């Protein structure tokens, strides 16, 4: 039976990206050695990281004066690297869920944090719309897509102070006006690559403005200067990121990724709204097109486990909701086909007909 991978992360990648990466692990570029057993400084690997940087710049139309880095540590390390490098006195954060809260917790170790708005009281079911970013903040930070709660900010906000975003789960799914940001980061394992690498897009002249001493490994300038090669970078995940970005480009780039994401989301949300058994968990204007969360309507609550089993029998993988929301979550990253979403919808319809 065909399986449809709705995992939230690590998550679906195009089959050819997985095959190309597997091949490079067996025999890289026909050199008779694995990608895993050659120097990251070799003439064979350098072109990989160079092209990965260049493709990220091309796909997101990144202006001059920015660097693209591939680091270790995950998005979670960025929660502390960001304030380490940018927070002198005060930072402004928008609190839209679990990942925002984690970022806020780390920033508080470095200075004052003003939470400009939060939807915590409503279990993060919407994106706060009206808030004021203090003009004396060193930067404003927000999470563009809330992987757990299924809300998304799809339009780049305006900020009177330098803006930073955690785009772990929606990078490469739509065009971004990078010039509005000083820094964008994310773990690659949602929409860019396999787990193990973190992408960082950073405006070079935004750095060096804090007075504290920064440990070498945590200073973005170290990694800019060394082209992500200060120490050994995660070579295999960088290779799969390159294969995946080549795939995105060949499909038509981030505009085409956005078109497909909107199409998938339309199909699934339409069914969630129509089907008598289910309802969405977030306000309509805050809905994510990457992580689509839904639960069983109250009168059908006891069918939840049955639907999980039914969906699993029909090849749906990873649709169980995160424990903080419950119900179901269908993560629809770039590699998810329209057919996959249609198969899930067919499952929902069939299950409805039985009840
Ligand atoms: C998954 C996720 C993270 C955590 O990423 P790690 O690479 O595991 O540290 C942070 N932010 C968002 C929005 C995520 O989806």
């Amino acid at each position: 039976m065909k399986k449809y991978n709705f995992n939230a992360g690590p998550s679906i990648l195009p089959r050819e990206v997985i095959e190309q990466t597997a091949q490079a692990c067996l025999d890289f570029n026909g050199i008779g050695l694995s990608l895993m057993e050659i120097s990251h400084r070799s003439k064979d690997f350098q072109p990989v990281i160079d092209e990965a940087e260049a493709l990220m710049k091309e796909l997101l139309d990144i202006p001059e004066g920015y660097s693209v880095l591939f680091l270790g540590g995950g998005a979670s390390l960025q929660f502390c690297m960001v304030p380490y490098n940018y927070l002198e006195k005060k930072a402004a954060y928008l609190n839209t869920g679990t990942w925002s809260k984690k970022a806020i917790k780390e920033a508080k170790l470095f200075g004052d944090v003003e939470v400009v708005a939060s939807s915590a009281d409503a279990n993060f079911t919407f994106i706060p719309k009206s808030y004021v970013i203090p003009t004396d903040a060193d930067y404003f930070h927000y999470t563009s897509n809330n992987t757990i709660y299924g809300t998304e900010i799809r339009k780049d906000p305006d900020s009177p102070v330098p803006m930073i975003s955690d785009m772990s789960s929606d990078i490469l799914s739509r065009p971004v006006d990078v010039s509005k940001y000083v820094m964008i980061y994310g773990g690659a394992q949602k929409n860019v690559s396999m787990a193990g690498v973190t992408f960082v897009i950073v405006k070079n002249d935004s750095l060096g403005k804090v007075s504290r001493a920064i440990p070498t490994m945590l200073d973005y300038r170290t990694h800019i200067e060394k082209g992500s090669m200060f120490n050994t970078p995660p070579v295999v995940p960088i290779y799969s990121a390159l294969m995946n970005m080549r795939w995105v480009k060949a499909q038509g780039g981030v505009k085409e990724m956005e078109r497909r994401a909107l199409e998938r989301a339309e199909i699934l949300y339409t069914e969630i709204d129509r089907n008598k058994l289910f309802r969405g968990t977030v306000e309509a204007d805050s809905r994510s097109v990457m992580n689509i969360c839904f639960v069983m309507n109250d009168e059908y609550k006891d069918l939840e486990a049955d639907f999980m089993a039914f969906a699993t029998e029909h090849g749906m993988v990873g649709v169980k909701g995160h424990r903080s929301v419950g119900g179901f979550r269908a993560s629809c990253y770039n590699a998810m086909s329209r057919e996959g979403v249609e198969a899930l919808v067919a499952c929902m319809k069939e299950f409805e007909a039985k009840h």
Side-chain angles (χ1 to χ4, degrees), residues 265-313:
E266 169 77 19
I267 293 169
L268 189 46
Y269 281 123
T270 300
E271 177 61 14
I272 291 167
D273 292 341
R274 186 209 62 76
N275 193 308
K276 70 171 195 267
L277 303 180
F278 303 100
R279 65 178 164 81
T281 57
V282 303
E283 290 184 13
D285 66 354
S286 300
R287 284 174 161 180
S288 168
V289 301
M290 293 282 104
N291 308 96
I292 298 177
C293 296
F294 54 105
V295 292
M296 229 112 208
N297 270 320
D298 291 344
E299 57 271 44
Y300 299 104
K301 265 271 173 285
D302 48 343
L303 290 177
E304 208 168 280
D306 286 356
F307 179 70
M308 256 324 294
F310 184 81
T312 307
E313 267 166 41

Side-chain angles (χ1 to χ4, degrees), residues 165-233:
S165 184
D166 172 1
M167 296 198 183
S168 292
S169 52
D170 65 352
I171 193 78
L172 298 180
S173 72
R174 61 187 161 87
V176 173
D177 182 355
V178 176
S179 70
K180 284 186 144 186
Y181 300 83
V182 292
M183 204 268 192
I184 294 170
Y185 67 90
Q189 67 275 18
K190 313 282 167 52
N191 224 358
V192 177
S193 184
M194 57 186 279
V197 64
T198 312
F199 64 88
V200 168
I201 299 164
V202 57
K203 192 173 190 209
N204 302 332
D205 68 7
S206 69
L207 297 166
K209 298 189 176 156
V210 289
S211 52
R212 75 175 59 83
I214 306 174
T216 311
M217 266 297 279
L218 300 182
D219 189 331
Y220 293 115
R221 291 170 299 182
T222 303
H223 301 289
I224 293 172
E225 200 181 305
K226 299 287 184 189
S228 304
M229 297 272 214
F230 171 73
N231 68 328
T232 318

Side-chain angles (χ1 to χ4, degrees), residues 73-77 79 99 143 145-147 166 168-169 187-190:
S76 300
L77 183 61
F79 296 161
W99 300 114
T143 315
N145 182 66
N146 299 287
T147 323
D166 172 1
S168 292
S169 52
Q189 67 275 18
K190 313 282 167 52

